[in-house]
Amino acid sequence: MSQLAPAAVFAYRRADKIQSCLEALEKNLGADKTAVFLYADGAKDENDRPDVERTREFISRYAGRHKFADFTVCFRERNMGLANSIITGVTEIMERYGRAIVVEDDLITSADFLSYMNGALSYYEKKKEIGEISAFTHPLKGLKSYEHDVYMTRKAECWGWATWKDRWELADWEMRSYAAFKRSRQDREFEKLQKGINNMLKQQMEGKLDSWAVRWCYSLFVNDKLTVYPKVSRTRNIGFDGSGVHCGRTDRYDGEISTDIGGCRFELLDVDRRLEKEAAKFEYVSLFQKGVNYIKRLSHKR
């Protein structure tokens, strides 16, 4: 069994993306000591089936030449949807290993991604105020003069992340505490972390949205758990090319990705409200831009 945390990788219908993702991950220091579990969801409909089959064909070929300590593939027989696929897959790994590193197919990792993740998982494991390790950070202006290698905020992230079994078990997937949350002042504080996130929770409750990420962010927030972010990203999202189910087109998230394999200085710091506020503003502008792009597409079609 690998001594390093296992990596859960999730794929669906984009063969080129999962190829880029795996090829970057296998170049990581420590890849040969890392067990990888790849979950490939089933086709949602006949329109998606050809792309799903091509993706599975690549994964099957890749399994014969991988460079990891172990490579386990789970081809879902039916379409579970991203939320259920991630919740089920990560839970399975947590039961076996007690910790997990999670990557989706549209993420490119830096060469020190696994080193950063494993170092952070070890350093913060007994620091119970920490709920998640993020590999991604927004390209924030405040980070240019920031003196530490990491910072903390109250909002979780989903573009390359890691956590432990006891934190994962805090997740309220059924949103049983939502009514009490709405009656408290917490909902206003939560909205400050990303404008519109409370509406996402409302849509989740109404069955109009199926997001594991918003429920995960919510669960960590109501349990007073913080997320550790790196000053320099260890992942880059290449899914904003119109190929994804949930992503449009934008280069707004593009930023520097780590090229240093010299290590990261981990510290337990207070929440950096300045960076937290800037990140919330960044997300709000991105949501606004998505709306503008959508209107432009409609106008073009007309």
Side-chain angles (χ1 to χ4, degrees):
M1 181 182 295
S2 170
Q3 293 183 351
L4 301 182
V9 181
F10 294 87
Y12 179 44
R13 65 180 187 183
R14 298 181 289 183
D16 59 331
K17 296 294 188 293
I18 191 61
Q19 179 176 354
S20 297
C21 174
L22 290 171
E23 288 177 352
L25 192 61
E26 72 179 11
K27 293 176 183 177
N28 265 249
L29 185 66
D32 59 341
K33 298 180 178 65
T34 299
V36 172
F37 294 82
L38 193 150
Y39 296 88
D41 206 2
K44 183 178 181 180
D45 51 40
E46 290 306 311
N47 290 331
D48 282 359
R49 192 171 302 282
D51 288 336
V52 168
E53 291 302 322
R54 278 191 288 272
T55 301
R56 293 184 173 210
E57 288 170 6
F58 164 75
I59 292 170
S60 295
R61 293 195 304 271
Y62 181 85
R65 59 177 176 83
H66 73 85
K67 299 179 181 179
F68 302 107
D70 194 22
F71 190 74
T72 303
V73 178
C74 176
F75 288 134
R76 303 293 192 190
E77 294 183 3
R78 59 182 179 83
N79 182 263
M80 297 182 70
L82 181 60
N84 285 333
S85 182
I86 287 183
I87 292 169
T88 302
V90 173
T91 299
E92 289 174 355
I93 291 177
M94 289 298 181
E95 291 299 322
R96 291 181 60 183
Y97 294 92
R99 56 175 62 185
I101 298 168
V102 185
V103 177
E104 293 179 44
D105 61 356
D106 53 8
L107 294 179
I108 298 296
T109 55
S110 64
D112 65 339
F113 167 78
L114 290 175
S115 299
Y116 164 79
M117 284 301 205
N118 281 284
L121 283 169
S122 296
Y123 183 86
Y124 295 105
E125 181 174 14
K126 295 183 179 179
K127 297 172 174 56
K128 299 301 183 180
E129 55 267 70
I130 302 301
E132 183 200 80
I133 310 300
S134 173
F136 171 80
T137 192
H138 295 85
L140 306 177
K141 293 180 180 179
L143 290 173
K144 293 180 179 179
S145 59
Y146 189 68
E147 296 180 352
H148 303 276
D149 288 350
V150 296
Y151 65 99
M152 282 72 180
T153 81
R154 295 172 294 165
K155 181 181 177 295
E157 186 53 67
C158 61
W159 289 355
W161 56 280
T163 193
W164 307 264
K165 184 174 184 288
D166 59 344
R167 277 72 145 189
W168 184 247
E169 290 175 341
L170 294 173
D172 182 11
W173 304 118
E174 302 301 320
M175 301 287 288
R176 290 180 291 267
S177 61
Y178 181 72
F181 171 80
K182 289 298 293 181
R183 292 194 299 268
S184 71
R185 298 182 60 182
Q186 283 186 305
D187 65 333
R188 279 172 281 178
E189 284 299 309
F190 194 52
E191 181 74 7
K192 291 179 182 179
L193 302 182
Q194 181 179 324
K195 188 174 179 62
I197 199 168
N198 277 343
N199 186 53
M200 293 174 67
L201 287 177
K202 181 174 181 290
Q203 290 182 320
Q204 180 71 43
M205 292 299 295
E206 294 173 346
K208 299 176 181 177
L209 181 69
D210 185 24
S211 170
W212 71 271
V214 73
R215 286 179 282 170
W216 176 236
C217 290
Y218 164 82
S219 297
L220 291 183
F221 178 79
V222 297
N223 283 283
D224 297 318
K225 301 300 182 185
L226 306 180
T227 292
V228 178
Y229 284 81
K231 178 180 179 179
V232 181
S233 280
R234 265 67 179 184
T235 58
R236 177 184 293 120
N237 193 312
I238 58 171
F240 286 96
D241 57 358
S243 66
V245 175
H246 303 288
C247 299
R249 293 178 181 271
T250 181
D251 59 1
R252 180 169 172 74
Y253 293 94
D254 291 350
E256 181 184 3
I257 189 170
S258 175
T259 58
D260 180 16
I261 58 173
C264 179
R265 182 164 55 97
F266 297 112
E267 301 174 83
L268 185 61
L269 305 167
D270 293 331
V271 171
D272 194 304
R273 300 294 176 129
R274 179 176 59 94
L275 292 175
E276 186 179 79
K277 185 176 181 179
E278 187 183 349
K281 183 178 180 181
F282 184 96
E283 287 287 355
Y284 173 65
V285 172
S286 295
L287 287 171
F288 175 77
Q289 188 60 51
K290 286 180 183 179
V292 171
N293 292 342
Y294 177 70
I295 293 171
K296 286 182 179 179
R297 288 197 299 272
L298 286 180
S299 300
H300 179 71
K301 288 180 180 179
R302 289 172 183 166

